[in-house]
């Protein structure tokens, strides 16, 4: 803990010295869903101040009363993402293959409307981001769960589903909620299986800019020609730069076959918000230094969480994420039932995401958000410990 304290002193104080009182003035879902005495550590919003470049872009738009309809082509959204992808992810993207979208979930829903018909099977890797379940149900599709094995993709299981007729995999890479990253070999195997059976891989890579030290994100479209023919990537600055409320994502293709799918999308599916476009371009072009500082804080917080749990709640299972600020806690040993979040909220006044919403494998688990100051990570663990009589 002493070593971590020394690291804290070296971090950007604007990101580590957050005022809980000031945070409670925010009006987003994170800060308004629960009563004021609850510490919210659930929904995927970070607590850090916005990147300076983003603040300037938004302030300029407001000063100009510039809040009309978005026009990403003229503003250079595709080029901004391509530059960011090359510099940050080592991913060479052709701007001609980049389209705007309101958000990643909307984009996945719209793409599935094109490539699937009611009754088709779609694969997800549970425990996984819970809106995927809702998308599949909404479209009248059949759910095919291929659970992770020790946090890793079961590529053979996905291949078997493709062989049995599944038309698509919604891939979460980096994975939410576990923070794991598939390897290039695993992605190549998925691409080959998709190609063999005529399936699609819709790769949600929204957390990729938050890949943490010691890990490497592999863009799905970069692994092989088969991936480019049978894959479509979904990205956004919303998680890395905390812009979810501004409504701007990107759909990325790298083949004529995939581009033809995007061409069939309705207007609303490719219409991002103007302020979101402006903020996203600013983030991609001028947010690198800020993002470096954010990653340093998250890297610190994931190690801090491990130390805090070892000291206060050693029976809690935790593997530090390799990407993102969402952590997956195995609380089964605490005896709080399938949904431990109920007891944590009632007894500890701390709100986490219930594990069961991520699939059957989430029973007894919870997702904890560490995209905040070290002090608030400590407070979250203190409240969890209080809920089980360890304070």
């Amino acid at each position: 803990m002493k070593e971590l304290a020394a690291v804290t002193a070296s971090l950007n104080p604007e990101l580590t010295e957050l005022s809980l009182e000031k945070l409670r003035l925010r009006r987003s879902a994170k800060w308004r869903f629960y009563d004021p005495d609850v510490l919210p550590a659930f929904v995927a919003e970070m607590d850090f101040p916005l990147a300076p470049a983003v603040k300037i872009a938004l302030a300029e738009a407001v000063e100009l009363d510039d809040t009309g309809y978005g026009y990403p082509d003229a503003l250079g959204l595709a080029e901004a993402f391509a530059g960011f992808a090359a510099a940050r992810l080592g991913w060479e993207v052709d701007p001609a293959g980049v389209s705007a979208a309101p958000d990643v979930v909307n984009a996945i829903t719209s793409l599935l409307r094109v490539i699937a018909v009611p009754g088709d099977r779609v694969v997800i890797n549970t425990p996984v981001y819970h809106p995927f379940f809702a998308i599949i149900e909404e479209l009248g599709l059949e759910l095919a769960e291929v659970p992770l094995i020790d946090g890793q993709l079961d590529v053979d299981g996905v291949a078997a589903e493709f062989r049995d007729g599944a038309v698509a995999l919604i891939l979460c890479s980096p994975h939410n909620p576990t923070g794991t990253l598939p390897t290039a070999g695993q992605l190549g195997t998925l691409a080959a299986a998709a190609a063999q059976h005529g399936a699609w891989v819709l790769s949600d890579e929204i957390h990729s800019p938050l890949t943490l030290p010691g890990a490497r994100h592999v863009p799905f479209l970069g692994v092989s020609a088969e991936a480019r023919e049978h894959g479509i990537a979904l990205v956004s600055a919303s998680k890395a730069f905390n812009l979810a409320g501004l409504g701007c994502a990107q759909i990325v293709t790298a083949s004529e076959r995939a581009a033809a799918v995007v061409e069939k999308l309705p207007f609303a599916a490719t219409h991002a918000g103007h302020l979101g476009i402006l903020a996203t371009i600013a983030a991609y072009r001028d947010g690198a230094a800020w993002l470096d500082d954010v990653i340093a804080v998250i890297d610190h917080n994931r190690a801090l969480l491990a130390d805090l749990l070892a000291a206060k709640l050693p029976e809690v299972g935790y593997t530090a994420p390799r990407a993102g600020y969402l952590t997956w806690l195995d609380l089964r040993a605490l005896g709080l039932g399938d949904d431990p979040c109920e007891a944590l909220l009632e007894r500890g006044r701390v709100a986490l995401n219930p594990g069961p919403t991520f699939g059957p494998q989430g029973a007894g688990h919870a997702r904890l958000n560490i995209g905040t100051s070290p002090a608030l990570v400590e407070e979250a663990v203190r409240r969890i410990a209080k809920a089980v009589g360890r304070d």
Side-chain angles (χ1 to χ4, degrees):
M1 294 290 282
K2 289 182 179 179
E3 292 181 2
L4 283 175
V7 173
T8 302
S10 69
L11 300 173
N12 184 341
E14 292 185 1
L15 305 181
T16 59
E17 298 175 7
L18 304 179
S19 163
L20 185 56
E21 181 180 4
K22 184 176 179 180
L23 288 170
R24 292 196 186 282
L25 297 178
R26 295 184 181 182
R27 293 169 289 181
S28 64
K30 180 175 183 178
W31 293 98
R32 293 303 170 102
F33 190 82
Y34 290 101
D35 293 334
D37 66 322
V38 172
L39 180 68
F42 67 118
V43 69
E45 296 179 23
M46 296 191 294
D47 294 340
F48 308 124
L50 290 175
V54 170
K55 284 188 174 183
I56 291 170
L58 293 174
E60 287 180 348
V62 172
E63 181 64 25
L64 292 170
D65 304 308
D66 183 13
T67 55
Y69 293 108
Y71 189 24
D73 293 346
L75 295 173
L77 175 64
E79 290 77 10
F81 173 71
F84 178 84
R88 201 86 200 180
L89 304 171
W91 180 13
E92 297 301 323
V93 173
D94 182 352
V98 179
S99 303
D103 57 70
V104 166
V105 170
N106 181 295
I108 293 173
T109 305
S110 299
L111 290 167
L112 283 173
R113 289 187 191 277
V114 173
I115 65 177
V117 297
D120 281 347
R121 288 172 64 79
V122 174
V123 184
I124 58 175
N125 306 117
T126 50
V128 75
Y129 182 52
H130 45 86
F132 291 173
F133 294 90
I135 291 171
I136 292 169
E137 181 179 1
E138 174 189 340
L139 298 179
L141 303 172
E142 184 180 345
L143 173 66
E145 292 186 40
V146 178
L148 301 180
I149 300 176
D150 297 326
Q152 298 299 313
L153 286 174
D154 178 2
V155 292
D156 292 336
V158 175
E161 287 291 346
F162 285 163
R163 184 174 59 250
D164 290 343
V167 300
L169 163 70
I170 306 177
L171 177 67
C172 198
S173 174
H175 191 268
N176 173 8
T178 65
T180 56
L181 289 162
T183 66
Q186 290 170 332
L187 295 177
T189 300
L190 287 179
Q196 182 179 0
H197 300 290
W200 285 96
V201 175
L202 306 182
S203 186
D204 174 358
E205 302 183 21
I206 197 169
H207 292 276
S208 59
L210 291 168
T211 300
L212 299 172
R216 183 175 76 93
H217 171 72
V218 180
F220 181 74
L221 298 183
V223 297
S224 67
E226 292 168 319
R228 291 184 282 278
E229 285 293 315
H230 293 268
I232 298 174
L234 298 310
V235 296
S236 176
S238 62
K239 298 306 178 192
F241 292 91
N242 219 38
L243 306 178
L246 295 179
C248 182
Q250 296 84 57
I251 304 170
V252 185
T253 62
S255 70
E256 292 183 4
R257 181 174 185 268
V261 173
V262 176
E263 283 292 323
K264 296 177 181 178
L265 297 180
F267 173 77
T270 58
H271 191 72
H274 179 51
L275 293 183
I277 294 167
L278 295 175
T280 296
I281 291 171
Y284 285 154
R285 288 180 176 167
D286 301 308
W290 180 89
L291 184 55
D292 287 341
D293 286 348
V294 165
I295 288 174
V297 175
I298 296 170
D299 183 32
H300 169 77
N301 284 349
R302 65 173 174 168
L304 173 63
L305 179 60
D307 282 359
L308 291 169
L309 292 173
K312 296 179 179 293
L313 296 161
E315 63 270 61
V316 171
Y318 164 65
T319 299
R322 303 185 70 212
Y325 53 85
L326 303 172
T327 63
W328 188 237
L329 304 182
D330 183 349
L331 306 174
R332 287 175 292 181
L334 297 180
L336 300 177
D338 285 349
D339 182 7
C341 292
E342 294 179 356
L344 299 184
L345 179 61
E346 180 180 350
R347 304 176 201 165
R349 307 307 288 164
V350 58
L352 280 62
N353 285 103
T357 63
F358 297 87
Q361 299 77 16
H365 292 67
R367 192 185 74 175
L368 168 69
N369 181 337
I370 59 169
T372 187
S373 68
L376 289 180
V377 172
E378 291 188 38
E379 177 63 13
V381 175
R382 187 192 71 79
R383 292 186 182 213
I384 295 171
K386 177 182 178 182
V388 295
R390 305 288 181 80
D391 56 332

